[in-house]
Structures are given as structure tokens and as C-alpha cells.
């Protein structure tokens, strides 16, 4: 997968792309990222990329001409001819749709993504109209520029590519991950029963202890020591009963989502057991789910 990043600060990405799984993906040729200095596509001695907004107002606005020339130099198809199942041009701005894990999964299926880093008061609207497939924002706040957003999007997408993470299912069993899929073996309980199985090396099927988040927050994690500064791990995690552990993790996942991101529950795939547990939480808190 290839990323092209259009920016006035190409050196910005030396830091973010030097650590973690992203540089490993680059080294192993799973993905690549190229930065393009927008000022190289200007035609005045001051290398001007911005100008005052028509109609008055505060700040400066990115001019369309350097952005168009830069993107067109990348040999990417025009907007009218572009196959958006393979490549996409994206403007990063506070006016864009919110970037989510679902968006990251969608982008991870593409072959090429061009990220245009907005800055100043904004970008000439004709860039969005004539050049870009979509606008994205990483959150409900304003940054000084799109470079941080571009680095975040590259990281979030690259880690979803096959072969980047240490375990193929790591991105599934985490916050905002995909939901459980029905087991392939006949007679094996599916996701609605919350008792899916995993196959151990000796070929025996045992209940799986992990829960795919299905768009919710992840469940709490613990590691050694079992007792740290007087706070022990939940006893259920040490009893070896896979089914009970799985049930506890699902309920802890639901409780954390209810406490921190209740909005995610509105579109979540919930079982009857999930809804009953949330109702109990609701009764105990006196709130509304």
C-alpha cells in the first residue's frame, strides 16, 4: 500500500514514522509513504502557498493551484475517472467526516491513498470539490495543521495490513475492532452465545477467552504480578475456566463502554445477555442506557 502526503512540512514525518510498527511495515515492503513539499509546486520567488480569503475574514487560505499541480504530478487518476476501490485522495480538515476504526479498515483495502494536509484558516473549497474523494477529521477539535492527522491515519491504517502486527487477530480483539464471526465448524456455538471456540495445537477445541469488541471498547487487561500495590487481579482471570473468563470480559467491556463511550452502544451488535447486563448496570446507576 502506498501513501502520498502533501504538506508544507515534509520533515515533520521523520519522527512519527521512525517508531513502532509503521517503519517495520515500510522495511518489509508491506506499505510505503512518500511526502511531497507543496512549496515545490509554486511559481513565485517567495514560494507562496496561501492567500487572503475572498469576502474578508481572519487568517489565510491554501491556494488551489499548488495542491492541484502536486496531486496531478503523482499520476493518480482524475476524480471523474478514479477507481475509489483502489485509490483515494483525501483532504484532512476540521470540516471533514470523523475518522473512525471503520474508516481505517476501509482505507486498508486500498492500494493508494493521497493525504492533503490542510493548514492556516483552511483550503480553497475547489480542492475538495474537484480533486478529493472525501474530507476527514480525526476529532472534534482544531489542529494547527493536518500533518498530525496524516500521521495518525497512516499509523491506524498500516497496522491493519496483513503481516504488520505480530498476531493476525490483534486488531480484531481491541477497542473498535470487528465483531465475532460465526464459527465454521458445525455444532460449534456462534457469537450470539458468546461461547466461540479456539483450536489449540493438539487439535482439541476449547472455549475462547477473548471477545472481539464489535465496535465497543476493549475489556480491561491485567498481567503479572497478580497483586500490585495491594490491588489484586480479578479472581475470575486466574481460575482457568475459559467460559467464565469470556463472560466476565464481555461484561467488563460493556461496563467500560457504558461508562466512557455510551454512544457506541446505540449501534452495537448486542445479544440478549448483553442487554440484560446493561439493564442491570442502568438500574444500579439510576441512569439510562
Amino acid at each position: 500500500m502506498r501513501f502520498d502526503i502533501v504538506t508544507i512540512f515534509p520533515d515533520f514525518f521523520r519522527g512519527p514514522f521512525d517508531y513502532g510498527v509503521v517503519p517495520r511495515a515500510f522495511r518489509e515492503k508491506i506499505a510505503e509513504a512518500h511526502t511531497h513539499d507543496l512549496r515545490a509546486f509554486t511559481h513565485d520567488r517567495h514560494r507562496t502557498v496561501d492567500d487572503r480569503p475572498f469576502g474578508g475574514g481572519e487568517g489565510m487560505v491554501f491556494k488551489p493551484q499548488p495542491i492541484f499541480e502536486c496531486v496531478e504530478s503523482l499520476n493518480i487518476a482524475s476524480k471523474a475517472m478514479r477507481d475509489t476501490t483502489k485509490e483515494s485522495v483525501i483532504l484532512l480538515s476540521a470540516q471533514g467526516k470523523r475518522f473512525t476504526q471503520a474508516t481505517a479498515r476501509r482505507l486498508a483495502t486500498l492500494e493508494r491513498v493521497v493525504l492533503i494536509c490542510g493548514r492556516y484558516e483552511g483550503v480553497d473549497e475547489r480542492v475538495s470539490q474537484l480533486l478529493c474523494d472525501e474530507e476527514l477529521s480525526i476529532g472534534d477539535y482544531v489542529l494547527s495543521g493536518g500533518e498530525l492527522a496524516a500521521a495518525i491515519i497512516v499509523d491506524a491504517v498500516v497496522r491493519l495490513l496483513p503481516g504488520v502486527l505480530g498476531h493476525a487477530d490483534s486488531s480484531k480483539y481491541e477497542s473498535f475492532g470487528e465483531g465475532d464471526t460465526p464459527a465454521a465448524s458445525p455444532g460449534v456455538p456462534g457469537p450470539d452465545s458468546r461461547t466461540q471456540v479456539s483450536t489449540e495445537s493438539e487439535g482439541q477445541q476449547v472455549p475462547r477467552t477473548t471477545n472481539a469488541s464489535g465496535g465497543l471498547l476493549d475489556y480491561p487487561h491485567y498481567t503479572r504480578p497478580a497483586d500490585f500495590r495491594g490491588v489484586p487481579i480479578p479472581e475470575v482471570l486466574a481460575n482457568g475456566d475459559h467460559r467464565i473468563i469470556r463472560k466476565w470480559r464481555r461484561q467488563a467491556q460493556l461496563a467500560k463502554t457504558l461508562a466512557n463511550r455510551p454512544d457506541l452502544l446505540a449501534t452495537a451488535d448486542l445479544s440478549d445477555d448483553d442487554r440484560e447486563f446493561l439493564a442491570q448496570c442502568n438500574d444500579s446507576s439510576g441512569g439510562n442506557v
Side-chain angles (χ1 to χ4, degrees):
M1 183 177 184
R2 174 180 171 126
F3 293 90
D4 290 281
I5 303 172
V6 179
T7 172
I8 59 172
F9 297 123
D11 290 343
F12 172 92
F13 297 93
R14 290 181 179 177
F17 292 168
D18 285 346
Y19 301 94
V21 299
V22 172
R24 186 175 71 192
F26 292 167
R27 289 194 301 269
E28 296 179 3
K29 309 299 183 183
I30 298 173
E32 58 183 324
H34 303 268
T35 57
H36 307 277
D37 188 351
L38 192 59
R39 295 191 187 278
F41 296 88
T42 57
H43 302 287
D44 66 302
R45 63 177 182 174
H46 300 295
R47 306 178 77 197
T48 306
V49 296
D50 61 325
D51 207 335
R52 293 169 298 185
F54 278 112
E58 300 78 16
M60 303 290 279
V61 176
F62 259 144
K63 300 167 63 174
Q65 170 265 321
I67 296 176
F68 270 78
E69 289 193 18
C70 179
V71 173
E72 289 168 352
S73 75
L74 302 177
N75 295 319
I76 195 165
S78 66
K79 184 173 181 177
M81 302 296 293
R82 195 173 300 147
D83 182 354
T84 55
T85 65
K86 294 183 178 181
E87 56 186 16
S88 184
V89 178
I90 298 171
L91 174 62
L92 303 175
S93 78
Q95 292 80 41
K97 296 178 181 178
R98 186 183 297 179
F99 177 75
T100 65
Q101 188 70 4
T103 311
R105 286 195 293 268
R106 172 170 59 84
L107 296 182
T109 66
L110 304 182
E111 297 174 3
R112 190 177 187 187
V113 173
V114 177
L115 299 172
I116 301 173
C117 299
R119 192 162 277 272
Y120 306 124
E121 188 65 22
V123 178
D124 188 294
E125 186 65 16
R126 289 163 292 189
V127 172
S128 178
Q129 290 177 327
L130 303 177
L131 191 62
C132 298
D133 301 298
E134 60 182 320
E135 291 185 51
L136 289 180
S137 168
I138 61 168
D140 297 340
Y141 46 85
V142 179
L143 299 171
S144 58
E147 284 75 17
L148 275 171
I152 287 171
I153 289 174
V154 171
D155 187 287
V157 173
V158 164
R159 64 189 301 278
L160 298 178
L161 299 177
V164 174
L165 298 181
H167 193 287
D169 283 339
S170 293
S171 63
K172 181 177 181 179
Y173 303 118
E174 63 183 2
S175 293
F176 312 113
E178 296 180 86
D180 286 323
T181 53
S185 302
V188 176
D192 290 339
S193 66
R194 309 298 174 192
T195 54
Q196 284 187 297
V197 300
S198 60
T199 303
E200 295 185 326
S201 58
E202 58 268 26
Q204 296 179 338
Q205 291 185 325
V206 297
R208 202 182 68 217
T209 63
T210 52
N211 289 89
S213 67
L216 302 181
L217 302 185
D218 200 3
Y219 50 76
H221 295 269
Y222 296 87
T223 187
R224 295 169 179 77
D227 190 307
F228 180 70
R229 296 192 176 184
V231 179
I233 65 169
E235 185 176 346
V236 63
L237 298 179
N239 69 11
D241 190 319
H242 298 279
R243 296 181 187 275
I244 294 178
I245 292 172
R246 182 173 168 81
K247 180 179 179 180
W248 179 88
R249 283 176 163 168
R250 179 62 177 180
Q251 291 182 346
Q253 178 185 57
L254 291 166
K256 177 162 281 194
T257 302
L258 179 62
N260 294 345
R261 289 292 305 276
D263 56 296
L264 297 175
L265 294 169
T267 56
D269 181 16
L270 302 176
S271 69
D272 292 340
D273 288 343
D274 292 339
R275 297 184 186 280
E276 181 179 351
F277 174 76
L278 288 169
Q280 294 172 357
C281 293
N282 186 47
D283 291 341
S284 64
S285 66
N288 292 312
V289 177

